[in-house]
Amino acid sequence: MLKLIRLEWRKNKIGKYIRGAVFMAAALGLFLFALAFFGIADDTDGTLDAAPGADMISSAIELFTSIAFLIYTSVMLASFIISSYKNKTMNIMFSYPVRRQKILASQMAAVWIFNFAALILTKLVIYLSIFAGAHFMPSSFAIDFDISSLSFYIQLILKSAVTVSMSFIALFAGMRMKSSKAAIVTSFILIFFTQAGIGDFTLSDNAAFPVILTVISFGFAILSICHAETRDLM
């Protein structure tokens, strides 16, 4: 399996995705640092212009990093899998003496592992930069995290896993509709569904929701590969 994952990274030229992830992390870091310390989220009277419950810096970090990496993961899955079906390079992969399910699983794992690691590193860099900046400048947002706490790292890992796993739902939609665009559009729909709120109610604050969503996401991942042996190529 590890050999197949490394093969997928080489075949899809993972270097360009690494550069894209680094650029995206830098852009997110600069934006969130400016959001916290340069007053771009403040009203003209100097008070924070944020909805109730969104005045914590961790909320902004989790929101923007989740949006960015959910879309990025969906784009990579579309490129690794759906595009391979459409341009017939999957024919070559399926000619290997390896079960189709294992090939598809390795492609999904290659994308998941890459984005999971990239999202964790991005969040760590942003949190550390905000933590360091708070020692020298006043923040518009409340600094509500403790980087010395074990629970901080546990939550960071769990939330990153949930975010990246959601892309499997987008992949399933893209494979069913035989369209990379459908996968990307589905990722936007998932963002609105998971991050939007009605009044004070939002699913992102529900403790059980991440667990349910992760189970659903891996359910869609299984559905995406379970009929690979009998399904015709796109």
Side-chain angles (χ1 to χ4, degrees):
M1 189 65 156
L2 290 176
K3 290 182 179 179
L4 286 173
I5 291 173
R6 288 195 295 267
L7 176 63
E8 286 301 322
W9 285 338
R10 289 198 301 269
K11 180 168 67 75
N12 289 277
K13 299 178 181 178
I14 196 65
K16 65 182 179 181
Y17 294 106
I18 293 174
R19 291 190 293 271
V22 170
F23 175 81
M24 184 168 61
L28 286 168
L30 289 172
F31 171 72
L32 288 163
F33 192 88
L35 194 69
F37 300 112
F38 296 162
I40 63 175
D42 293 345
D43 278 330
T44 54
D45 61 358
T47 59
L48 179 64
D49 182 15
D55 56 348
M56 304 292 184
I57 191 60
S58 64
S59 298
I61 294 173
E62 294 296 331
L63 173 64
F64 288 107
T65 55
S66 295
I67 290 173
F69 274 91
L70 175 56
I71 296 172
Y72 198 67
T73 309
S74 298
V75 169
M76 285 186 65
L77 284 171
S79 177
F80 275 49
I81 300 176
I82 300 174
S83 294
S84 294
Y85 270 108
K86 296 183 71 174
N87 62 26
K88 305 303 180 182
T89 58
M90 193 66 84
N91 286 330
I92 301 173
M93 294 292 292
F94 284 168
S95 67
Y96 296 164
V98 181
R99 295 188 64 187
R100 290 185 178 186
Q101 286 98 335
K102 190 172 183 179
I103 292 173
L104 285 173
S106 68
Q107 291 175 318
M108 295 165 70
V111 175
W112 193 95
I113 292 169
F114 173 84
N115 283 278
F116 176 63
L119 180 52
I120 287 178
L121 290 173
T122 297
K123 285 184 178 182
L124 280 175
V125 170
I126 294 173
Y127 275 114
L128 287 171
S129 64
I130 297 294
F131 177 77
H135 285 77
F136 304 100
M137 295 175 284
S139 173
S140 299
F141 290 81
I143 306 299
D144 61 323
F145 60 89
D146 179 10
I147 61 173
S148 64
S149 170
L150 177 61
S151 62
F152 166 78
Y153 296 97
I154 293 174
Q155 289 187 35
L156 186 146
I157 292 171
L158 292 178
K159 288 181 179 179
S160 298
V162 172
T163 297
V164 176
S165 299
M166 284 169 56
S167 62
F168 292 144
I169 301 175
L171 172 65
F172 177 80
M175 292 183 70
R176 292 285 292 184
M177 299 180 70
K178 301 181 180 181
S179 169
S180 297
K181 293 180 180 178
I184 298 170
V185 170
T186 302
S187 69
F188 279 96
I189 294 173
L190 286 169
I191 289 167
F192 288 120
F193 177 70
T194 57
Q195 301 295 335
I198 302 175
D200 294 333
F201 175 76
T202 175
L203 288 173
S204 60
D205 292 334
N206 190 312
F209 181 65
V211 177
I212 296 172
L213 188 59
T214 302
V215 173
I216 293 173
S217 298
F218 277 97
F220 276 100
I222 293 171
L223 289 174
S224 297
I225 66 175
C226 63
H227 299 299
E229 295 292 337
T230 56
R231 184 172 54 228
D232 292 333
L233 295 176
M234 293 181 180

